[in-house]
């Protein structure tokens, strides 16, 4: 199975901060990577697919990028509603695996 | 509006069976790839099984031989038959419409499966 190593596991930040989360794949996955946001008691919400394509309706402060097997989710200016857990997922080969998640909390 | 609703979760003893259902509305389920995911309490997300629009099925190694994914096109529903359940299958189970190129969206609200004696 393809392993995804996500970092950091926990992040404390303030409203307005620029936040970057990294996801590293154990092997090449082309651009088959998605990012999700999950709030307590809720289902995951798709933010970005194909490594850098913003899902319809998602604010433009969210962006994704890729360099080889390293993928990055950036929130340009953290808003109160952005405090949540973020997970990456590879869809290159089944089983589609997830990173362990990054919890973004208020500083 | 595209919507998914899971049902069928509950408390069972190890070794017992359970069938989860996923009702789709707003789209024809059989025309798309559909997947089951799960999330154990306090843990990350895990892929469980996938059924392609063409009917091909895929399973995580941890459930292969015990779980069966299927769909009923006439009812626009997908199922997950879970046999020989183990404590480690305890999780919130989600169904989602998926595509390799565009990710999983939408997701249902989840149904809780608890395996405990």
């Amino acid at each position: 199975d393809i392993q995804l190593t996500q970092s950091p596991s926990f992040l404390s930040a303030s409203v307005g901060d620029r936040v970057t989360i990294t996801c590293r794949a154990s092997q090449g996955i082309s651009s088959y990577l998605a990012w999700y946001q999950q709030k307590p008691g809720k289902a995951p919400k798709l933010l970005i697919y194909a490594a850098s394509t913003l899902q319809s309706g998602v604010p433009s402060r969210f962006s994704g990028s890729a360099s080889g097997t390293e993928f990055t989710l950036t929130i340009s200016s953290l808003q109160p509603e952005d405090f949540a857990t973020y997970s990456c997922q590879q869809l290159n080969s089944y089983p589609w695996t997830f990173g362990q998640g990054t919890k973004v909390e208020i500083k | 509006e595209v919507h998914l609703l899971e049902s069928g979760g509950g408390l069972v003893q190890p070794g017992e069976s359970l069938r989860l259902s996923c009702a789709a509305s707003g789209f024809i389920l059989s025309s798309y790839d559909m997947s089951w995911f799960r999330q154990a309490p306090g843990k990350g997300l895990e892929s469980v099984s996938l059924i392609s629009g063409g009917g091909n099925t895929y399973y995580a190694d941890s459930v292969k031989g015990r779980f069966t994914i299927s769909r009923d096109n006439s009812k626009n529903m997908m199922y997950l038959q879970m046999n020989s359940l183990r404590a480690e299958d305890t999780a919130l189970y989600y169904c989602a419409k998926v595509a390799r190129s565009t990710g999983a969206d939408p997701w249902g609200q989840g149904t809780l499966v608890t395996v405990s004696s």
Side-chain angles (χ1 to χ4, degrees):
Chain A
D1 297 359
I2 295 174
Q3 307 301 316
L4 293 180
T5 303
Q6 199 173 326
S7 61
S9 298
F10 177 84
L11 189 158
S12 182
S14 301
V15 172
D17 283 354
R18 181 181 181 88
V19 167
T20 299
I21 299 168
T22 298
C23 182
R24 185 172 287 108
S26 59
Q27 62 190 77
I29 58 171
S30 187
S31 295
Y32 292 109
L33 187 109
W35 289 97
Y36 300 89
Q37 176 193 67
Q38 189 174 23
K39 296 182 178 180
K42 299 294 187 181
K45 173 188 173 183
L46 177 66
L47 298 175
I48 286 170
Y49 60 88
S52 60
T53 302
L54 198 65
Q55 171 72 345
S56 175
V58 173
S60 59
R61 62 180 179 274
F62 291 92
S63 64
S65 64
S67 177
T69 59
E70 185 167 298
F71 300 83
T72 301
L73 172 70
T74 299
I75 308 172
S76 60
S77 178
L78 200 64
Q79 298 302 300
E81 60 268 31
D82 300 338
F83 291 95
T85 297
Y86 295 85
S87 299
C88 56
Q89 179 198 29
Q90 67 82 18
L91 300 100
N92 184 72
S93 61
Y94 204 80
W96 295 340
T97 46
F98 291 83
Q100 77 275 21
T102 296
K103 188 174 184 179
V104 178
E105 290 200 342
I106 302 173
K107 183 183 287 184
Chain B
E1 183 187 0
V2 175
H3 187 68
L4 295 168
L5 182 64
E6 304 94 336
S7 61
L11 172 63
V12 296
Q13 295 191 344
E16 294 187 339
S17 299
L18 209 55
R19 188 178 83 155
L20 305 184
S21 300
C22 173
S25 58
F27 71 103
I28 299 173
L29 185 148
S30 60
S31 297
Y32 297 90
D33 296 353
M34 296 292 297
S35 188
W36 287 98
F37 300 98
R38 68 185 180 185
Q39 189 168 36
K43 302 295 185 181
L45 294 159
E46 179 186 16
S47 291
V48 174
S49 185
L50 180 149
I51 184 165
S52 72
N56 294 321
T57 58
Y58 305 83
Y59 299 94
D61 284 346
S62 58
V63 306
K64 203 172 293 182
R66 300 187 299 123
F67 290 12
T68 303
I69 192 170
S70 63
R71 65 186 182 213
D72 185 331
N73 297 343
S74 67
K75 295 182 178 179
N76 215 33
M77 292 190 69
M78 177 177 69
Y79 304 99
L80 186 68
Q81 177 66 42
M82 305 186 296
N83 298 331
S84 303
L85 282 161
R86 305 167 180 168
E88 54 264 35
D89 296 318
T90 293
L92 189 58
Y93 284 72
Y94 295 101
C95 65
K97 177 174 169 284
V98 297
R100 190 175 177 226
S101 57
T102 57
D105 181 74
W107 296 58
Q109 89 291 344
T111 187
L112 182 63
V113 173
T114 304
V115 185
S116 175
S117 55

